[in-house]
Amino acid sequence: GMATPRKAGIPLGVMKVLDPRQLKPDSTETERILTVLDETIVKLEITRLIPRITSSLERYARMLGPEITSSLLEHQKLSMEIQHLLTSPGDEKSIRAAEKRLKCSLRNILRLFLANPLLYHGLKYEVRVRESPADVFIKAFMEFRDFTLERLLTTPEEEKEKIQFMKDISLRVEKNTETISALRGELAGVIQTRDEEVSRKDKTIENLKTSMEDLAKNCKADIRLIMKEGEKQQKEDEEASQDRCARLKQDIQHLGTQFNALVLEHRASELVLRKEKCKAEKEIQKWVQKYDKDMTEKQTIYEEVQAVYNEEKEQLSLLMEKHAMLLQEYTQIEEERRMLKEKEEEAAREEARRNNAATCIQAFWKGYLVRSIYKSKLKKGKGKGKGK
């Protein structure tokens, strides 16, 4: 699936960054950093839930258990105490002491929740919290975590290749945009010139039609005048009248011939303009097809990159689920180790008490023996004295 984007011109460094397999931490330091960031996100989400839980503590008391419930009650009391101290003028030392106790209480609550991840996940979907500035901060911190992971897994050379690739893409898009703008400008100019030419031709044809109509009207008026004069002077000017009518008919035919010639001429001009228009439309269609082809190729590249991103995101989700399971197992193992250590320490203390008791008994017994021997010697000494 990565061969097609590589053919499209994506650098090898960029492909390496986009490869989902590169999301696996490659060093212990990276894993530690991500663990700290993930734990911080969990603590932030728990802290966000605490006010809502304390406001309905009776509802969640059975789920939380006695230890967490009592800690939350104590935390609520400390919060109310600090609010009272802040609203009323008081000693700064008392406020700092109360804040210190509140911080210790919060750390203790977070420790209890982190010791029971299943409880936290259950409350996360059970407790309904309204949106607040804390959500924006948590979202920003998650984005910071993803950004940190990307930076940790990206070498300086790959970062440079990625930046250069994005610059090349931007330059190509800008160049294509400029080309399209120039072509659209040329197209608008051609269309405007064509429209002006057609308008000018239409005006010329309209003027010619008006002239022909005026000429026809004038001819009809002359004919009527001639007919009137012919009626008056029918006998005297019959031959002259006939000659004049014949001449006028010839003039009409000549004007008709000129009109037909002009019509043919304008039809030829119109045909040339139509051909130019057709040529311009074909050229426009050609550029539009080229633009569609380029945009289709770019859309294909974008869809392939988007598919890689989706796959990468799914793998990240699987890794997060695995991390949560491993964290739960690690917590259980740590708890078992702690209990085993406490048993060993208790056994060691019991052994020490037994050794101390044995030492005391031995010392007492040795003292008793020494006193017994000393008393027996004193008795023997007194007996010898009496005998003498």
Side-chain angles (χ1 to χ4, degrees):
M2 301 302 297
T4 305
R6 186 77 189 103
K7 291 181 180 179
I10 300 178
L12 181 61
V14 178
M15 293 307 305
K16 187 176 180 182
V17 172
L18 295 177
D19 191 351
R21 293 174 294 180
Q22 295 297 324
L23 282 177
K24 297 181 180 178
D26 54 354
S27 64
T28 306
E29 289 78 6
T30 303
E31 292 179 354
R32 290 176 179 174
I33 292 171
L34 294 178
T35 301
V36 170
L37 293 176
D38 291 335
E39 289 181 355
T40 305
I41 292 171
V42 173
K43 290 179 180 179
L44 289 172
E45 291 179 345
I46 294 173
T47 306
R48 173 175 168 270
L49 295 176
I50 287 176
R52 181 62 177 173
I53 296 173
T54 53
S55 63
S56 304
L57 197 57
E58 295 180 356
R59 176 183 176 185
Y60 305 106
R62 182 177 297 178
M63 182 185 297
L64 296 172
E67 186 177 5
I68 298 178
T69 303
S70 61
S71 299
L72 289 173
L73 286 171
E74 182 66 24
H75 184 77
Q76 188 177 17
K77 292 178 181 179
L78 290 173
S79 300
M80 295 174 65
E81 180 181 349
I82 288 179
Q83 290 179 0
H84 179 70
L85 291 173
L86 291 175
T87 53
S88 60
D91 187 8
E92 292 292 333
K93 186 176 181 180
S94 300
I95 295 175
R96 288 196 294 270
E99 289 178 349
K100 186 176 181 181
R101 292 198 304 272
L102 183 66
K103 291 178 181 179
C104 293
S105 174
L106 180 60
R107 283 196 293 269
N108 182 45
I109 292 171
L110 292 176
R111 179 181 60 78
L112 293 174
F113 272 106
L114 290 175
N116 193 351
L118 294 177
L119 175 61
Y120 156 66
H121 287 292
L123 288 172
K124 184 177 179 182
Y125 296 102
E126 181 70 20
V127 179
R128 301 298 179 184
V129 183
R130 295 180 180 178
E131 293 187 0
S132 64
D135 298 328
V136 179
F137 178 77
I138 293 172
K139 184 178 179 181
F141 195 86
M142 290 180 177
E143 293 177 355
F144 170 73
R145 186 260 184 200
D146 297 335
F147 175 75
T148 303
L149 174 61
E150 182 180 354
R151 293 304 299 266
L152 289 173
L153 299 179
T154 304
T155 61
E157 291 77 10
E158 293 170 349
E159 185 69 19
K160 289 180 181 179
E161 289 184 1
K162 183 179 178 181
I163 293 172
Q164 186 61 38
F165 173 72
M166 297 305 294
K167 287 182 178 179
D168 294 339
I169 291 295
S170 299
L171 288 175
R172 290 180 185 177
V173 172
E174 185 177 357
K175 190 179 293 184
N176 290 335
T177 304
E178 291 177 355
T179 304
I180 291 169
S181 299
L183 290 174
R184 286 178 177 174
E186 293 178 1
L187 174 62
V190 172
I191 293 173
Q192 184 178 1
T193 304
R194 183 204 63 188
D195 292 340
E196 291 177 354
E197 185 68 21
V198 171
S199 178
R200 187 175 61 82
K201 296 293 185 181
D202 290 338
K203 288 181 180 179
T204 304
I205 293 171
E206 190 67 27
N207 292 330
L208 290 173
K209 288 182 178 179
T210 304
S211 299
M212 292 297 297
E213 289 177 356
D214 293 339
L215 182 60
K217 289 179 181 179
N218 293 331
C219 290
K220 289 180 180 179
D222 292 339
I223 292 171
R224 285 195 298 270
L225 181 60
I226 292 170
M227 291 296 293
K228 289 179 180 179
E229 293 178 352
E231 289 177 357
K232 293 179 180 179
Q233 299 179 1
Q234 183 177 8
K235 294 179 181 181
E236 301 169 354
D237 301 325
E238 186 176 4
E239 294 179 359
S241 181
Q242 290 177 353
D243 295 335
R244 190 173 182 182
C245 288
R247 187 170 60 255
L248 289 174
K249 288 180 180 180
Q250 290 177 359
D251 293 337
I252 292 171
Q253 291 177 357
H254 180 68
L255 290 174
T257 304
Q258 290 180 354
F259 173 77
N260 293 330
L262 288 173
V263 170
L264 293 174
E265 180 181 355
H266 288 298
R267 285 180 179 176
S269 300
E270 183 181 1
L271 181 61
V272 172
L273 291 174
R274 288 183 181 276
K275 289 181 179 180
E276 291 178 357
K277 176 185 175 183
C278 183
K279 182 179 179 181
E281 289 177 350
K282 289 181 179 179
E283 190 70 20
I284 292 168
Q285 185 68 23
K286 178 181 177 182
W287 282 108
V288 170
Q289 290 177 356
K290 182 179 179 182
Y291 170 79
D292 293 339
K293 182 179 179 182
D294 293 341
M295 289 299 104
T296 302
E297 293 177 355
K298 289 178 173 58
Q299 181 67 26
T300 303
I301 295 173
Y302 170 79
E303 291 176 354
E304 291 170 350
V305 172
Q306 184 68 27
V308 172
Y309 169 78
N310 293 334
E311 183 179 358
E312 178 181 289
K313 189 174 181 181
E314 292 177 359
Q315 293 188 3
L316 176 60
S317 177
L318 293 175
L319 288 175
M320 291 295 292
E321 293 177 359
K322 291 182 180 179
H323 175 268
M325 294 175 62
L326 291 174
L327 183 61
Q328 181 181 357
E329 293 177 1
Y330 173 79
T331 305
Q332 293 177 355
I333 292 171
E334 286 294 318
E335 183 66 20
E336 293 175 358
R337 287 181 179 176
R338 184 182 64 79
M339 295 177 65
L340 181 61
K341 186 177 180 181
E342 289 179 355
K343 290 181 180 178
E344 291 176 355
E345 290 177 354
E346 182 65 25
R349 288 195 294 270
E350 183 67 24
E351 185 67 22
R353 286 197 298 270
R354 291 178 180 177
N355 290 335
N356 291 332
T359 302
C360 292
I361 293 170
Q362 289 176 0
F364 180 83
W365 177 251
K366 287 180 180 180
Y368 174 80
L369 291 177
V370 170
R371 288 193 297 270
S372 300
I373 294 171
Y374 182 73
K375 287 181 179 180
S376 64
K377 285 183 178 183
L378 288 177
K379 289 180 180 181
K380 287 181 181 181
K382 289 181 180 181
K384 289 180 180 182
K386 291 179 179 181
K388 290 180 178 181

